[in-house]
Amino acid sequence: MHPVLLVGAVLAVSPPAEWVAKEKTASLMYTMDTSFTSNWKALPTVGNGYVSTLVTNPAEYVAGVYNWEAKTQSSRATFPASTNIALEGASPAGYALDMQFGTAERIYSNGVLQRWYAHRVQKNLLVTEFIGGTGSDRYQDGAGRRPSVDCTHATDEDPGNCYMEYTKAGSSTSEMEVYTGTIDRREYPGSPLISFVVVRTAVDQPVELGGGVRRFLSVRVTSLDANSSTSNGMEEEAISMYKGAARDANLYATHTAEWTELTAAGMFVEGDHDLAQSINASFYGVLSALHKEVPWDTSPGGLSTNGYWGNVFWDSDTWIYPNALLFHHDLGRSQMQYRYNVREGARQNAEMQGWKGYQFPWQSGETGQEVCYNSIYEYQEIHISGDVAQAMWQMWRATHDKQLLADMVYPVLYNVSTFWASRVVQNRDGTYSINNVMCPDEDANGVNNSAYTNAVAKQTFVWTKLAAAILGKTTPAGWDEVEAKLVIPFDTTKQYHPEYEGYKEGMVKQADVVLMGYPLMFPMPHNVYFNDLNFYGNHTRNSVAMTWAIFTIGYRSIGYDDQAAKAFDATVRQNNPSGPFHTWGEYEENSGCPNFLTAAGGFLQSVWAGFGGVRLTDGALTITKPAPPSGGSDRLTLSKLYYLGCLLTVDIHPDTFSVVIDSCGAQAPSLYANQTALHVGTPVSYSTQQQISIGARQ
């Protein structure tokens, strides 16, 4: 039990000492003001990349499980919450999010502590435990009703009726409830109907663990990931998981040990406590949405919400994935595995429109076929295919794994190049155009020769040819001509890239042309890059939260630190992220898509790519003039970056930085920094005015 003080006639609960201590390290955030719970978008996430929820929310989600027909709008299936359990007879007094241990906690007015976690090792488990209290305590769901399994309740995210059939199984007992069901809406005709089993603790029968600990848990098994192909086998598998975990005294310890190891990789800031918390919260959101054993990608709203219907957009490939690739390579690999697994859907998308190759959908769900309800995105916002190609090439840059290149990366690159080659039209002067597209700035649609779209198409041809050469293959001869003559709009007088052909210099919605400089790294002189940044910095609405991160990175890369600092301030100092747990919204004040991991991903990149100066190139990992982030921090540590099978730590101070190899796999090559050998455990120091290139000596 935790201390409860009598103040007048009111019981006042002190925050647990563990909360206070960990908050000082920025690895935990807490609040004793419970009023934030009235805004569901501020609720903390609990998730592991397979199953996830928002604490106290009546909805839970499972990766890859969708339940609406494509184009109606396809949506991730909403499961009734099984761990939305509250203690009767006591009021919530405070909440905490422990980002090191991957848990959320709530303390009650009587000192009882509750914690939630989605088990990181046993991914099918969602758990809530009560520490303290007595055996006579009673429990209810967080809305004051007994938990039920009907799917008719509505949430802020879902209008209700989650289109699934739930049946209580005969294997249920007084302590353990077993439900079987099937999603009854197919994404496309012929798509499988996903079946599932849910096993959960009965609300009046928590598992007694001794020492005042009582546990409720749920297990979900779906036909997407079950070892058995039969309904009876799935039920037996789920029950076995439940029984194995219910009284496991080490369940919490194995979860926190895995999360602690996971969060040892990331970024750590000293001198700016608020920024350190925002970094940790942003990484926590990304990690909660991905799992190395789950080859599904995340949506803009993560796995804990149905923001943007739970579908996969370019947000994942361009904004979220680069962080996973660099710091948690196995999670990034899972994201790309998803794109590869749904490649047949991408082929069908292209074929339906009369094109060839792979046209990845603007919104992707179960099959990789387009599920967006509005055809304008399907037909016009085609830069997504280039975004997937870029993400695949980045995986090659990070690994130099030839087998991976041959099996996954090259097939995607080749087929996306095939798509671009079929989509271009030749002009009378011999140049090539891509017409009738929507830019990343979605206010600009039905335009010709989007600068970014054409640039990423051009680079796809370049990457494909490089990959082919590595593998001893050749690409069609005509592709070289298309790549060389593809129109990239350019104003020779103002020395900048207009957004598209005929652009009238109006305001744009979000980062667009500036994406050519980063992450695309499209070749251009520094003065042109500066002009792009300067022009669009004055012609971009203060809207979508991830936008200014790209300006931070761009300005830092060409030496304009003051402008970079202003852009960084616009990203993180405008009440976004907000709330006690630094949750991101799509727009200011946590509006728009909830738990907006797109913004979290852009923000994280602004730190390691902007201030850290890190880039993955074809032949090296480069670090250019790194510095601690502006605004008061005096140290930035990039911990356990993955490169060519090794984990590296970069420790950055105002005047110097060091690089050390933490460990290397058995097949990793020897690494050199500017031709100086790097050794495990031996830091090498440099001036922050230097650029270094880390790679394997050829």
Side-chain angles (χ1 to χ4, degrees), residues 577-653:
S578 65
F581 303 115
H582 292 226
T583 52
W584 286 91
E586 186 175 10
Y587 304 104
E588 290 184 4
E589 306 294 338
N590 207 354
S591 59
C593 179
N595 189 39
F596 195 49
L597 295 189
T598 311
F603 161 64
L604 291 172
Q605 289 185 67
S606 74
V607 178
W608 61 258
F611 293 99
V614 174
R615 297 290 188 279
L616 284 169
T617 69
D618 292 343
L621 183 148
T622 65
I623 304 173
T624 304
K625 296 184 177 180
S630 58
S633 58
D634 52 25
R635 184 179 184 182
L636 169 64
T637 302
L638 310 179
S639 177
K640 301 185 185 304
L641 283 74
Y642 179 92
Y643 186 61
L644 304 189
C646 294
L647 298 180
L648 311 172
T649 290
V650 183
D651 192 13
I652 304 165
H653 297 263

Side-chain angles (χ1 to χ4, degrees), residues 142-162:
R145 303 180 301 273
R146 295 293 178 188
S148 66
V149 291
D150 68 52
C151 270
T152 58
H153 61 258
T155 71
D156 287 297
E157 310 162 85
D158 191 287
N161 196 346
C162 50

Side-chain angles (χ1 to χ4, degrees), residues 19 179 191 236 343 351 391 408 440 442 471 613 628 652 687:
W19 291 8
Y179 297 90
S191 300
E236 291 173 1
R343 65 195 184 280
E351 184 178 78
M408 183 187 298
E442 291 154 331
L471 297 173
I652 304 165
S687 163

Side-chain angles (χ1 to χ4, degrees), residues 281-534:
S282 298
F283 259 123
Y284 175 82
V286 171
L287 297 177
S288 296
L290 301 171
H291 196 286
K292 64 183 179 182
E293 297 175 3
V294 181
W296 291 92
D297 212 340
T298 187
S299 70
L303 185 56
S304 61
T305 81
N306 243 2
Y308 281 112
W309 310 283
N311 294 325
V312 179
F313 291 68
W314 77 307
D315 304 55
S316 179
D317 309 281
T318 301
W319 302 94
I320 302 169
Y321 162 78
N323 305 289
L325 177 67
L326 194 62
F327 292 95
H328 300 279
H329 170 71
D330 50 358
L331 302 184
R333 174 75 176 263
S334 291
Q335 291 180 272
M336 289 301 98
Q337 188 66 53
Y338 166 76
R339 288 297 194 185
Y340 181 76
N341 288 350
V342 299
R343 65 195 184 280
E344 174 58 22
R347 186 194 64 77
Q348 292 180 40
N349 295 332
E351 184 178 78
M352 186 187 71
Q353 296 186 39
W355 314 124
K356 299 178 181 179
Y358 293 167
Q359 180 182 348
F360 284 93
W362 181 240
Q363 293 187 36
S364 185
E366 179 185 347
T367 64
Q369 292 177 262
E370 184 61 68
V371 298
C372 182
Y373 67 94
N374 190 332
S375 61
I376 192 172
Y377 298 96
E378 173 183 3
Y379 287 94
Q380 293 190 17
E381 197 150 12
I382 58 175
H383 67 80
I384 176 66
S385 294
D387 301 328
V388 173
Q390 179 177 205
M392 285 284 183
W393 188 242
Q394 287 289 80
M395 188 161 61
W396 159 254
R397 285 172 166 167
T399 64
H400 284 198
D401 183 332
K402 287 188 178 180
Q403 194 64 52
L404 181 65
L405 182 69
D407 293 346
M408 183 187 298
V409 176
Y410 182 70
V412 171
L413 292 176
Y414 186 91
N415 280 281
V416 173
S417 289
T418 300
F419 167 71
W420 291 126
S422 71
R423 186 64 170 76
V424 301
V425 294
Q426 190 170 24
N427 303 310
R428 291 181 178 179
D429 63 359
T431 62
Y432 290 85
S433 293
I434 302 176
N435 295 330
N436 193 31
V437 301
M438 179 183 287
C439 302
D441 162 27
E442 291 154 331
D443 291 346
N445 57 78
V447 304
N448 297 337
N449 291 325
S450 154
Y452 175 75
T453 302
N454 287 21
V456 78
K458 191 180 184 77
Q459 291 304 96
T460 304
F461 288 118
V462 172
W463 301 325
T464 305
K465 188 172 183 178
L466 288 171
I470 294 167
L471 297 173
K473 299 177 180 290
T474 58
T475 56
W479 289 4
D480 289 346
E481 180 178 326
V482 174
E483 184 270 319
K485 297 182 178 180
L486 187 59
V487 172
I488 304 294
F490 186 70
D491 186 318
T492 56
T493 300
K494 296 182 179 179
Q495 291 288 298
Y496 89 111
H497 293 99
E499 186 181 20
Y500 52 85
E501 189 176 277
Y503 172 60
K504 302 301 183 183
E505 300 193 348
M507 298 296 287
V508 303
K509 172 189 174 186
Q510 60 190 41
D512 187 323
V513 170
V514 292
L515 296 166
M516 293 170 63
Y518 179 91
L520 191 56
M521 297 188 289
F522 189 78
M524 69 180 81
H526 277 191
N527 71 300
V528 173
Y529 193 6
F530 173 82
N531 291 340
D532 283 349
L533 292 164
N534 192 52

Side-chain angles (χ1 to χ4, degrees), residues 61-62 64-78 157-159 161-163 183 185-187 305-311 363-366 371:
Y61 302 98
V62 177
V65 182
Y66 294 85
N67 68 341
W68 285 71
E69 297 96 336
K71 303 184 181 182
T72 58
Q73 167 75 52
S74 176
S75 176
R76 188 189 286 134
T78 304
E157 310 162 85
D158 191 287
N161 196 346
C162 50
Y163 292 106
I183 303 297
R185 297 294 180 97
R186 299 179 191 270
E187 185 171 289
T305 81
N306 243 2
Y308 281 112
W309 310 283
N311 294 325
Q363 293 187 36
S364 185
E366 179 185 347
V371 298

Side-chain angles (χ1 to χ4, degrees), residues 562-583:
D562 289 344
Q563 289 90 332
K566 291 177 182 177
F568 189 63
D569 187 69
T571 299
V572 296
R573 313 293 180 188
Q574 303 296 322
N575 204 26
N576 197 5
S578 65
F581 303 115
H582 292 226
T583 52

Side-chain angles (χ1 to χ4, degrees), residues 147-283:
S148 66
V149 291
D150 68 52
C151 270
T152 58
H153 61 258
T155 71
D156 287 297
E157 310 162 85
D158 191 287
N161 196 346
C162 50
Y163 292 106
M164 60 177 73
E165 297 180 1
Y166 248 111
T167 304
K168 193 170 185 177
S171 53
S172 297
T173 68
S174 61
E175 299 178 353
M176 177 190 71
E177 299 171 355
V178 182
Y179 297 90
T180 61
T182 305
I183 303 297
D184 62 7
R185 297 294 180 97
R186 299 179 191 270
E187 185 171 289
Y188 273 91
S191 300
L193 287 177
I194 299 169
S195 55
F196 57 86
V197 179
V198 177
V199 183
R200 50 174 284 178
T201 307
V203 71
D204 293 321
Q205 299 291 331
V207 179
E208 297 280 353
L209 298 178
V213 179
R214 294 166 184 84
R215 174 180 292 163
F216 295 87
L217 73 156
S218 68
V219 171
R220 281 178 176 76
V221 173
T222 78
S223 52
L224 293 172
D225 62 282
N227 292 320
S228 174
S229 60
T230 68
S231 57
N232 286 340
M234 285 176 56
E235 187 175 334
E236 291 173 1
E237 185 178 344
I239 291 172
S240 177
M241 286 184 187
Y242 178 90
K243 290 182 175 179
R247 289 181 167 79
D248 181 355
N250 294 316
L251 194 67
Y252 178 66
T254 55
H255 165 76
T256 57
E258 186 73 9
W259 259 99
T260 299
E261 181 176 348
L262 197 66
T263 54
M267 297 186 292
F268 305 97
V269 164
E270 294 182 9
D272 190 331
H273 188 71
D274 187 68
L275 178 61
Q277 288 183 320
S278 291
I279 290 172
N280 288 337
S282 298
F283 259 123

